[in-house]
Amino acid sequence: MTSTAYREMVLASWREIVRTPMTLFLSVLFPLCFVLMFAFLPDVSVSGGTTVSGLAFGLPAVLIFAMLSLGVMGTAAPMTVYRQRGVLRVFGCTPVSRLGFILAQVPVRFGVVIAEFVLIFVAGATAGEIDAGGLPAALLTLVLVAAAMLSLGFLLGGLLRSPELLGAIGGVLMPVVLFASGVMLPMAMMPDAVRLGAKTLPFTYMGDLLRHQLLGVPAEFPLWLSYTVISGTTAVLVAITARTFRWDEER
């Protein structure tokens, strides 16, 4: 694929996001609304017995929720619509490779992630809840988490044909994993069985890392372990996507 063709596909990816109000709302604006919800919650206890405000606890949670929404609703959902309408079948008849198509979706979505991070960081800094010293490490984590979320979106979008099925999966997947992993609720409030199961979810380590880096609270897990889990999850998702992505129902 030529650089001109790649640039045009990137621009098409941008137009696809901004011209679909529901996709834009669900994948970008709706998660940010949760900042207001967390602002009215009482103080909560996190790892190490440290107490933080509800807003401070919610900032990393909203950031993860926003990236997961972008992966599922802002990436997988449009791809299933394209497959249902036969658009991907047309791409399969052109010189555009599957890898080239996927890579063309990445720049715009990473740009959206950065914009969301800036908004959340500014909101937290204005409220005096953000530890600016952890910004460089938080940006590294942001890139890794975004890569994992987009990889999940490409995997789902590459397999599913029905937007309705994706909506059902996303409607169950997002709240369940975010609450069960301690991202949306403090782990101390969870039953022992849930806390044990949370250690098998990569979202648990994403939330722990971002809380440590953005809020300056002690990390519950070793940093090397969290980075390994997130990087390994991304690698597995990318490998599965590379083997399973298809233009249409037939490979």
Side-chain angles (χ1 to χ4, degrees), residues 85-100:
R85 295 177 178 176
V87 176
L88 293 184
R89 187 187 307 117
V90 175
F91 275 117
C93 299
T94 69
V96 176
S97 67
R98 291 179 295 178
L99 177 60

Side-chain angles (χ1 to χ4, degrees), residues 35-172:
V35 173
L36 296 176
M37 181 193 75
F38 280 106
F40 291 98
L41 293 181
D43 294 350
V44 297
S45 178
V46 294
S47 58
T50 305
T51 300
V52 298
S53 69
L55 175 60
F57 179 84
L59 293 175
V62 170
L63 186 58
I64 293 173
F65 179 33
M67 287 188 282
L68 180 58
S69 295
L70 182 63
V72 176
M73 306 308 300
T75 303
M79 290 175 66
T80 58
V81 173
Y82 288 162
R83 176 170 293 103
Q84 189 178 62
R85 295 177 178 176
V87 176
L88 293 184
R89 187 187 307 117
V90 175
F91 275 117
C93 299
T94 69
V96 176
S97 67
R98 291 179 295 178
L99 177 60
F101 173 79
I102 290 175
L103 291 179
Q105 314 304 309
V106 172
V108 170
R109 285 163 174 81
F110 259 105
V112 171
V113 168
I114 294 299
E116 291 173 331
F117 178 79
V118 170
L119 290 174
I120 291 173
F121 186 87
V122 169
T126 302
E129 303 287 2
I130 292 289
D131 178 14
L135 179 59
L139 287 174
L140 172 61
T141 302
L142 181 77
V143 172
L144 292 175
V145 173
M149 300 304 190
L150 291 181
S151 298
L152 176 62
F154 290 132
L155 174 60
L156 295 175
L159 287 175
L160 301 179
R161 184 178 185 273
S162 169
E164 293 77 14
L165 177 58
L166 176 67
I169 293 175
V172 173

